[in-house]
Amino acid sequence: MTVFGKVHLGYLVIETEKFADWRRFGRDAIGMHLDETHSDVLRFRLDDNTCRFLLHRGSAEDTTALGWEVDDHATFETIEARVRSHGVPVSEGSAEEAALRGVERFARFPGPNGLDQEIYVSPHSGCEPLRLGAGGGFVTGAAGMGHVAIATKNPYQMRGYYSTVFDARLSDYIDETISGLKFKIRFLRVNERHHTVAIAATTRLPLNPIRTRIQHCNIQVAELYDMTTAHHRVKELGFDIALSVGQHTNDKELSFYAVSPSGFEWEVGWNPIVVDESTWEPTTHQGISMWGHTPQGQNIVDLFGRFKTGAQSVLHREDTVPALAGAGIADD
Ligand SMILES: [Fe+2]
């Protein structure tokens, strides 16, 4: 049984010490609903679901897990059985952990690049009325809450993993040069959203210049006005813009990228195309953007930091969860 189309990015789990900055960033700048009903945890909502971002206290300053909403118990059991059949352990989240995520129950198993994967069926609705700074709301539903981009030294294995576990399909490739390094980015979809996981890898050397487990996450606003006002608030409140407003070559999304308090980037986008499975053909685009997305304020210290992280990454072992990576998909 294929699970394609029945899997949707549901929430992210983040570990951070910077609660004050995240409150300002998430609520005041990006315009999400802030929920502080549990002590020592911050949560953000985008819609009726109780939790779209769960922030725990800890020193990682990183996203530590991806939560996947699946349509029904049959899909849940199919994914769980696949993972177990490859000899990879699946554990049940505790009742307390499930409550923090706003779900009935969830199962957890390891994912590549240190990102735990969590699957669940029934999300709870938040108790409080939704308070959003983005008046038009966020696009979630069948397309999920957005997407993540991950930098890796092992793109074939990572693509193999998401294909094996979630029946991910290739939407397209982008060839891009960033800070003098040539990258190939593979865009994978698990439902109608053009991509839910983007996999970025250098083409020559096995380098990963990105410290965090995700390079960025993306959320989608329904109204263009909410993207431009979020951009304005990010600047007004003193957070950094990583890439100015621009439009992507492949999914045509109009977006900007801010730097989140934990260091990974945060894309706010509007109006990406929706994939029609009956006609879609993967292609290769040159460059991530048709226009805009100009790097902002990147200085020599930032660049040096990336080269240092990249150089260290050569020696660092990256977990690929080989049992679930298939043979690895060699695609170029
Ligand atoms: Fe993106």
Short mmCIF file of all heavy atoms in Angstrom, two decimals, residues 147-149 187 195 198 215-218 248 251 253 255 257 267, ligand 1:
data_model
loop_
_atom_site.label_atom_id
_atom_site.label_comp_id
_atom_site.label_asym_id
_atom_site.label_seq_id
_atom_site.Cartn_x
_atom_site.Cartn_y
_atom_site.Cartn_z
N HIS A 147 7.33 23.18 4.74
CA HIS A 147 8.39 22.24 4.36
C HIS A 147 9.66 22.50 5.16
O HIS A 147 9.76 23.52 5.85
CB HIS A 147 8.66 22.30 2.85
CG HIS A 147 9.23 23.58 2.33
ND1 HIS A 147 8.56 24.43 1.48
CD2 HIS A 147 10.45 24.16 2.51
CE1 HIS A 147 9.32 25.47 1.17
NE2 HIS A 147 10.49 25.34 1.79
N VAL A 148 10.57 21.55 5.06
CA VAL A 148 11.90 21.74 5.65
C VAL A 148 12.94 21.51 4.56
O VAL A 148 12.71 20.74 3.62
CB VAL A 148 12.18 20.79 6.84
CG1 VAL A 148 11.30 21.13 8.03
CG2 VAL A 148 12.02 19.33 6.44
N ALA A 149 14.09 22.18 4.70
CA ALA A 149 15.24 21.94 3.83
C ALA A 149 16.39 21.47 4.70
O ALA A 149 16.63 22.01 5.79
CB ALA A 149 15.63 23.21 3.08
N PHE A 187 14.11 18.06 -4.51
CA PHE A 187 12.85 18.48 -3.88
C PHE A 187 11.88 17.29 -3.88
O PHE A 187 11.51 16.79 -4.94
CB PHE A 187 12.25 19.67 -4.63
CG PHE A 187 13.09 20.91 -4.49
CD1 PHE A 187 14.21 21.11 -5.28
CD2 PHE A 187 12.78 21.86 -3.52
CE1 PHE A 187 15.01 22.24 -5.13
CE2 PHE A 187 13.56 23.00 -3.37
CZ PHE A 187 14.68 23.19 -4.16
N HIS A 195 7.00 20.53 -2.46
CA HIS A 195 8.00 19.79 -1.68
C HIS A 195 7.76 19.95 -0.19
O HIS A 195 7.36 21.01 0.27
CB HIS A 195 9.43 20.19 -2.04
CG HIS A 195 9.75 21.65 -1.84
ND1 HIS A 195 9.38 22.62 -2.74
CD2 HIS A 195 10.42 22.30 -0.86
CE1 HIS A 195 9.81 23.79 -2.33
NE2 HIS A 195 10.45 23.64 -1.18
N ALA A 198 13.31 19.25 1.22
CA ALA A 198 14.32 19.58 0.21
C ALA A 198 15.67 19.13 0.77
O ALA A 198 15.96 19.32 1.95
CB ALA A 198 14.33 21.07 -0.09
N GLN A 215 18.22 23.29 7.47
CA GLN A 215 18.76 24.60 7.05
C GLN A 215 17.68 25.66 7.18
O GLN A 215 17.93 26.77 7.60
CB GLN A 215 19.29 24.49 5.61
CG GLN A 215 20.07 25.70 5.13
CD GLN A 215 19.17 26.79 4.57
OE1 GLN A 215 18.11 26.50 4.02
NE2 GLN A 215 19.58 28.05 4.72
N HIS A 216 16.44 25.30 6.78
CA HIS A 216 15.31 26.20 7.04
C HIS A 216 14.02 25.42 7.12
O HIS A 216 13.93 24.28 6.67
CB HIS A 216 15.21 27.32 5.98
CG HIS A 216 14.68 26.91 4.63
ND1 HIS A 216 15.50 26.62 3.57
CD2 HIS A 216 13.41 26.78 4.16
CE1 HIS A 216 14.75 26.32 2.50
NE2 HIS A 216 13.48 26.40 2.84
N CYS A 217 13.03 26.07 7.74
CA CYS A 217 11.66 25.58 7.62
C CYS A 217 10.85 26.64 6.90
O CYS A 217 11.27 27.80 6.82
CB CYS A 217 11.04 25.24 8.98
SG CYS A 217 10.71 26.68 10.02
N ASN A 218 9.74 26.22 6.35
CA ASN A 218 8.87 27.13 5.59
C ASN A 218 7.44 26.99 6.10
O ASN A 218 6.99 25.87 6.38
CB ASN A 218 8.93 26.75 4.10
CG ASN A 218 7.78 27.32 3.28
OD1 ASN A 218 6.63 26.88 3.41
ND2 ASN A 218 8.07 28.25 2.40
N HIS A 248 10.79 31.66 -6.19
CA HIS A 248 11.52 30.44 -6.52
C HIS A 248 11.24 29.97 -7.95
O HIS A 248 10.14 30.12 -8.47
CB HIS A 248 11.16 29.32 -5.54
CG HIS A 248 11.82 29.49 -4.20
ND1 HIS A 248 13.18 29.61 -4.06
CD2 HIS A 248 11.31 29.59 -2.96
CE1 HIS A 248 13.48 29.75 -2.78
NE2 HIS A 248 12.36 29.76 -2.09
N ASP A 251 8.81 25.97 -7.50
CA ASP A 251 7.40 25.98 -7.05
C ASP A 251 6.76 27.36 -7.18
O ASP A 251 5.59 27.54 -6.84
CB ASP A 251 7.26 25.43 -5.63
CG ASP A 251 7.85 26.35 -4.57
OD1 ASP A 251 8.46 27.38 -4.93
OD2 ASP A 251 7.72 26.02 -3.37
N GLU A 253 6.96 29.91 -5.51
CA GLU A 253 6.53 30.56 -4.27
C GLU A 253 7.25 31.90 -4.10
O GLU A 253 8.45 32.02 -4.35
CB GLU A 253 6.84 29.65 -3.06
CG GLU A 253 6.22 30.16 -1.76
CD GLU A 253 6.36 29.17 -0.60
OE1 GLU A 253 7.39 28.47 -0.54
OE2 GLU A 253 5.43 29.09 0.22
N SER A 255 8.57 34.53 -1.43
CA SER A 255 8.92 34.32 -0.03
C SER A 255 10.10 35.18 0.39
O SER A 255 10.78 35.79 -0.44
CB SER A 255 9.29 32.85 0.21
OG SER A 255 10.51 32.52 -0.45
N TYR A 257 13.32 34.92 3.71
CA TYR A 257 13.92 34.06 4.73
C TYR A 257 14.44 34.94 5.87
O TYR A 257 15.26 35.83 5.64
CB TYR A 257 15.11 33.28 4.18
CG TYR A 257 14.80 32.24 3.14
CD1 TYR A 257 14.32 32.60 1.87
CD2 TYR A 257 15.02 30.89 3.39
CE1 TYR A 257 14.06 31.65 0.90
CE2 TYR A 257 14.76 29.92 2.41
CZ TYR A 257 14.28 30.31 1.18
OH TYR A 257 14.02 29.36 0.22
N GLU A 267 11.47 30.50 6.46
CA GLU A 267 10.91 31.06 5.23
C GLU A 267 9.41 31.28 5.40
O GLU A 267 8.70 30.38 5.86
CB GLU A 267 11.18 30.09 4.07
CG GLU A 267 10.68 30.58 2.72
CD GLU A 267 10.95 29.60 1.58
OE1 GLU A 267 11.15 28.39 1.84
OE2 GLU A 267 10.95 30.05 0.41
FE FE B 1 12.04 26.68 1.16
#
